[in-house]
Amino acid sequence: MPEAAERGDAQHLCASEQLAERGDAMVFDVLQYRQPARAFALRFDGRVVAYLNRCAHVPAEMDWQPGQFLDSERAFILCSIHGAAYEPSSGRCVAGPCGRGRLVVIDVEERDGQVYWYPSRDTQPAFAD
Ligand code: FES
């Protein structure tokens, strides 16, 4: 696998300092299966993770307020609609109506004080044709 720095498809998301530990997420637009959708990135246990903003229970956006995904203890990503709880580090459902589901992972990388995400076959930049 090539070094991440060599990958040409990196999409700049934000500066590292914009993602505080267990703070608000950075929300960004993507195309999921060519349809407009949103994704988010947040910092948890020091690591930046990113997911499609789409609950595994019902395909709806989950944030309470724009960019606010974590519960009051800042331990889980909590869907504001019916309370599904996801493990922030993996996106795996741990409680609530999401069953064995999990959030769709967006490949993300932090380097040189900046955060980048990487498109996949299913998830593309919003400005793609
Ligand atoms: S839509 Fe998220 S828990 Fe139902």
Side-chain angles (χ1 to χ4, degrees):
M1 186 163 153
E3 286 292 315
E6 297 174 7
R7 293 177 61 177
D9 55 348
Q11 307 292 311
H12 183 254
L13 182 57
C14 63
S16 294
E17 64 194 21
Q18 291 178 263
L19 295 178
E21 173 67 26
R22 303 190 189 210
D24 285 0
M26 182 65 63
V27 178
F28 56 104
D29 294 322
V30 298
L31 291 176
Q32 178 75 357
Y33 304 122
R34 298 179 183 269
Q35 298 299 315
R38 299 215 296 166
F40 64 99
L42 55 78
R43 187 180 301 282
F44 192 85
D45 287 349
R47 192 168 67 92
V48 178
V49 294
Y51 301 102
L52 196 67
N53 185 3
R54 184 170 292 174
C55 188
H57 176 220
V58 173
E61 295 191 356
M62 303 183 295
D63 31 350
W64 303 87
Q65 298 286 331
Q68 294 184 17
F69 290 86
L70 297 177
D71 66 344
S72 57
E73 306 292 316
R74 302 199 171 270
F76 297 102
I77 293 170
L78 198 62
C79 178
S80 64
I81 300 178
H82 310 110
Y86 299 90
E87 195 173 67
S89 57
S90 67
R92 190 173 58 90
C93 176
V94 290
C98 43
R100 292 170 176 246
R102 60 192 314 140
L103 301 177
V104 174
V105 174
I106 306 277
D107 190 15
V108 70
E109 181 194 33
E110 185 171 25
R111 62 179 143 87
D112 301 330
Q114 302 293 323
V115 178
Y116 301 85
W117 70 276
Y118 291 94
S120 66
R121 190 188 54 181
D122 301 335
T123 308
Q124 293 287 317
F127 52 79
D129 289 329

